[in-house]
Amino acid sequence: MYPMGYAIYKAADIPRTLLPAAIAFGSFGITMTSIPGTPQIQNLIPMDYFGTTATAAPVMGIISSIIVLIPGYLYLNRRVKKARQDHLGFTEDPLILKESETTSKEAAVRYWLSGLIPLIVVFITLNLLKWNIVIALIIGIIVCCLFHPDKIKRMPKTITEGAKGSVTAIMNTACAVGFGSVIRIVPGFALLTALLISQNATPMSLLFSEALSASVLSGATGSASGGLSIALEAFADQYLAVAQTLGISPDILHRVASIAAGSLDKLPHNGAVITLLAVSHCTHKDSYKDIFVVSVIIPMIALVILLLIWGVIL
């Protein structure tokens, strides 16, 4: 996203330091946890614990996206207007690689389609055909390769780099699940469960409890997937049991957990935030304030609004 955003911000003469917040707004604030049907790991983890699908609680997810989208857009737009009032414009990234545009119009159309169609294929195979996410992604990759047969020879190197990049994510999630398993067997687990899940729970208190555990653990670990895995590994069975007595669908638990995990996780030590700033060649001082507003404060407000609404409805 950074090279595309870089070109757009350059053409619009918008300060480059605002670009990381815009990327975070779309990647972390909206699509990561709210929109139903996405292949994001934060949307897939609850499936194993609640027996749900990637499209769980679509109405809640769409409303959450809208609640985040409107104030986030208004905030970023106000920041752009303020920058122009202060006569701040685009500054070149001294480290970005400048490549000459040599592709033809026909090739550009092909590349545009090659980026869109594989995503559609993944969405369809995951949500409509109900195939496993791994199979859905492999099919998406194959479709992408069909658009670029001339680049097949680069596949071994690409697969190697992808495998290396996946190790950290795999180990983080595995460690988080293992930590959650340890929590369940320590003597204080029963006390912790009693504090989080009251025997006289109401729909609102249950949803707030689940949201609290997922968001706090995600903030502590600096990882939405890690915190979510720990919370669900430790408490999913109890939440599901109470939800069944209250007549609450597991789909609601799925979506609340997913949205809550994508709130406090984007604190300064979050790996995705650090990676985003590194790729954008910006510092926390340059851009983190805006990232914090659009991917922490606004999603937290949206989460509270959703819990209040569904707590009353249920």
Side-chain angles (χ1 to χ4, degrees), residues 110-111 145 147-154:
R110 185 185 69 171
Y111 291 144
C145 291
F147 277 95
H148 304 280
D150 55 316
K151 293 183 171 58
I152 296 296
K153 60 184 179 181
R154 296 171 55 182

Side-chain angles (χ1 to χ4, degrees), residues 34-52:
S34 296
I35 296 180
T38 65
Q40 300 276 11
I41 188 172
Q42 293 81 5
N43 185 43
L44 302 179
I45 288 174
M47 294 167 54
D48 293 333
Y49 295 93
F50 299 130
T52 50

Side-chain angles (χ1 to χ4, degrees), residues 24 28 32 42 168-169 172 218-226 264-280 284 288 291:
F28 309 154
M32 188 176 79
Q42 293 81 5
T168 300
N172 285 344
S218 295
T221 60
S223 167
S225 59
L264 284 179
D265 67 308
K266 273 87 63 179
L267 296 179
H269 61 291
N270 174 266
V273 170
I274 294 172
T275 300
L276 173 60
L277 293 175
V279 170
S280 305
H284 279 76
Y288 182 71
I291 294 175

